[in-house]
Amino acid sequence: PDLKPERSTSFDAGVEWTANTTRFDVTAFRTVVKDRFISNVVISNPAPPDPIILSVVNGLDANISGLDAELEQRLGGHVGAFVNLTHYFNRKERLANGAEQDILNVALNTMRAGVDLDMGPLGARLSGRYVQGRKDNNFNLPGFPIIDYDNFTVIDLSATYRLVKQHFVALAVNNLFDTYYYEKLGFPLQGASFKVSYRLGF
């Protein structure tokens, strides 16, 4: 009943450089959060079969700072490439007891990259996402200890072919190499899958 709403203040500043075939953008950001929610706080941890009792409390604050960078490059008339990176310099939260820890399930680095193909009626993109440096609770172990999550890379492919004006056939292949990965431990995301669709525009 005494839980307070979170409050945050954010600042960012960046620069962008563009040329005929190149665009580069870099942005620094900082966020300060007050009364941050701290979930899964153990109130009672009795011996089985009595239940473990958890609650949510306000932490003292959280400080987040980092950098976003993006590069786009044309590699001729039909091919383009892009890469963007989010890196955190700091992602700390102070708990109600005054201790400090990394904010859970916030990756230290996230990188996305891809290649685009545009050849008249055919358009395609091959892209990937790499996530590195996450921590979270392991709810399968007593006391729910904080563990390091596995890093992962996921590759996706999409293609669209225009048959005639406003008629398209599209193919999307997600998780092309059937990578085992998860955003939350114990809940793996979908393996390799594909979808073929027909689109009619108006």
Side-chain angles (χ1 to χ4, degrees):
D2 59 349
L3 194 65
K4 300 176 183 178
E6 291 187 351
R7 296 171 292 128
S8 66
T9 304
S10 297
F11 305 92
D12 65 74
V15 293
E16 182 182 72
W17 178 79
T18 59
N20 291 336
T21 60
T22 306
R23 186 182 73 85
F24 177 70
D25 182 286
V26 61
T27 301
F29 59 86
R30 176 172 169 78
T31 298
V32 177
V33 184
K34 301 294 185 182
D35 296 321
R36 179 168 169 77
F37 292 159
I38 307 297
S39 58
N40 306 311
V41 176
V42 178
I43 302 299
S44 176
N45 189 12
D50 294 336
I52 297 173
I53 300 175
L54 305 176
S55 186
V56 180
V57 300
N58 289 115
L60 298 180
D61 56 38
N63 290 276
I64 305 161
S65 61
L67 192 73
D68 285 320
E70 183 173 8
L71 174 65
E72 295 179 358
Q73 178 70 50
R74 294 301 301 177
L75 304 174
H78 302 291
V79 180
F82 68 91
V83 60
N84 60 66
L85 169 70
T86 299
H87 171 73
Y88 286 93
F89 301 122
N90 179 53
R91 47 186 176 136
K92 296 289 187 180
E93 62 185 356
R94 284 199 298 156
L95 309 182
N97 61 7
E100 190 177 66
Q101 70 176 29
D102 288 334
I103 298 175
L104 299 182
N105 216 354
V106 175
L108 178 64
N109 294 298
T110 300
M111 178 180 290
R112 299 173 182 85
V115 177
D116 293 316
L117 177 67
D118 183 7
M119 298 188 65
L122 175 65
R125 166 173 284 189
L126 179 68
S127 62
R129 178 167 65 107
Y130 171 70
V131 177
Q132 180 261 333
R134 295 179 301 157
K135 298 179 181 180
D136 206 348
N137 296 104
N138 185 342
F139 294 100
N140 298 315
L141 297 177
F144 310 138
I146 295 174
I147 63 169
D148 292 321
Y149 272 10
D150 292 333
N151 305 330
F152 68 84
T153 302
V154 176
I155 306 295
D156 299 320
L157 172 67
S158 63
T160 303
Y161 187 82
R162 185 175 68 248
L163 300 174
V164 292
K165 185 178 180 180
Q166 298 178 324
H167 291 260
F168 303 86
V169 175
L171 168 68
V173 183
N174 296 319
N175 197 357
L176 183 63
F177 297 109
D178 199 28
T179 300
Y180 176 83
Y181 74 109
Y182 48 85
E183 303 290 351
K184 198 73 173 177
L185 183 66
F187 298 90
L189 296 177
Q190 188 175 40
S193 64
F194 71 92
K195 178 176 69 174
V196 178
S197 59
Y198 180 86
R199 298 205 309 260
L200 173 61
F202 295 95

